[in-house]
Amino acid sequence: MKIKVLSSGSKANSTLVSCGSTHLLIDAGPTSSFIVSELEKENILPQEIHGVIITHTHSDHVGSLGSLILYCFYNLNIKINIILPSKHKYLSDLEDLLRIFGCKSKMYKYIYENELTDKYDAFNSIKFMETKHSRGMICYGILFDTNDGAIYYSGDTKEINNIKKIIKDYKIDKVYVDTSSIDSKDNPHMYVGVLDEEIPLYLRDRFYCMHINDKKVISEVIDSGFKVVDKI
């Protein structure tokens, strides 16, 4: 399974997940024209996206969801599938945003994580794992259970517990993790020092740090044995 980070950082976030003809988007923060352009570089049409996974409703993660829905509905005559956790705690916030964006319910369709189990060859299942980021904000990391092992996409997070649990319970293929240089209990992103303390050396080349807003931390991340995503 291929993970392509299209945009990462506080300005906007979106990631493409692909395997064969199966394509998913995680978050839709950049402009819809940017997303469509990035998909074209991968020879993927918007109508080939099977669904959009939303980790949380901060603007840098959902800023263009509305325009993407409107573009697909009016220009391509298709509905976007929005993939949700079975216990959809942020659904009311998401629906408020979609109404503000001018999106009517006939323009999109909800699909729940359990509906995707054993549906695609790319992965066996998708699991939304609730995580901590900003106070009062419902946030999720996304776990893909694949034949090659677990692929975890942390979304925005400041805590390590989900990652520790995945290391314990799964064979790790790749982990994409929110990373920050700020060591503070008030920091809503994962401090790189926590990764350095908690992640075993033998797994570090499978960890891809993202959402890095301070480029000074890149050398620290690499020196610690982790990787950095292409788009920061």
Side-chain angles (χ1 to χ4, degrees), residues 6-211:
L6 307 180
S7 179
S8 178
S10 293
K11 62 184 185 300
N13 296 271
S14 187
T15 295
L16 174 66
V17 179
S18 295
C19 183
S21 61
T22 301
H23 309 292
L24 302 172
L25 276 182
I26 302 177
D27 291 332
T31 64
S32 55
S33 60
F34 174 88
I35 291 175
V36 171
S37 174
E38 290 297 302
L39 292 177
E40 288 175 348
K41 292 176 184 178
E42 302 295 321
N43 296 313
I44 298 170
L45 298 172
Q47 53 265 45
E48 295 177 300
I49 296 296
H50 290 82
V52 181
I53 299 168
I54 301 300
T55 61
H56 65 294
T57 54
H58 273 157
S59 61
D60 58 323
H61 293 259
V62 296
S64 71
L65 180 61
S67 59
L68 193 61
I69 289 172
L70 293 169
Y71 171 78
C72 288
F73 186 78
Y74 286 114
N75 293 68
L76 304 177
N77 197 32
I78 60 171
K79 294 182 181 182
I80 279 186
N81 295 320
I82 301 175
I83 300 171
L84 298 174
S86 297
K87 297 180 180 179
H88 40 78
K89 293 184 179 180
Y90 62 21
L91 183 57
S92 61
D93 291 339
L94 182 60
E95 291 188 327
D96 286 344
L97 281 172
L98 292 176
R99 280 192 290 270
I100 292 170
F101 290 149
C103 298
K104 299 178 181 179
S105 58
K106 67 178 182 179
M107 299 176 178
Y108 55 87
K109 179 183 178 182
Y110 293 137
I111 295 179
Y112 295 96
E113 58 184 316
N114 57 303
E115 297 179 55
L116 300 180
T117 300
D118 296 327
K119 184 175 181 179
Y120 297 112
D121 292 335
F123 50 83
N124 303 315
S125 64
I126 291 178
K127 181 179 181 181
F128 284 72
M129 302 181 70
E130 191 168 347
T131 189
K132 295 178 181 178
H133 172 43
S134 293
R135 184 176 298 176
M137 174 68 66
I138 304 298
C139 303
Y140 294 95
I142 312 299
L143 176 66
F144 297 90
D145 182 13
T146 80
N147 291 331
D148 295 324
I151 296 177
Y152 182 64
Y153 186 92
S154 76
D156 285 4
T157 186
K158 64 179 182 180
E159 54 104 16
I160 194 74
N161 290 341
N162 281 352
I163 292 174
K164 290 172 68 174
K165 178 174 175 54
I166 292 166
I167 289 174
K168 178 182 177 183
D169 295 345
Y170 292 86
K171 171 191 171 185
I172 300 296
D173 183 12
K174 301 180 187 74
V175 174
Y176 291 78
V177 59
D178 180 13
T179 310
S180 169
S181 62
I182 300 172
D183 182 11
S184 168
K185 65 179 182 179
D186 297 321
N187 181 18
H189 302 283
M190 179 83 72
Y191 172 49
V192 65
V194 175
L195 293 176
D196 201 26
E197 290 178 2
E198 298 288 350
I199 305 306
L201 291 173
Y202 75 94
L203 285 177
R204 294 189 181 190
D205 63 346
R206 303 178 197 179
F207 275 69
Y208 295 79
C209 296
M210 59 184 184
H211 208 294

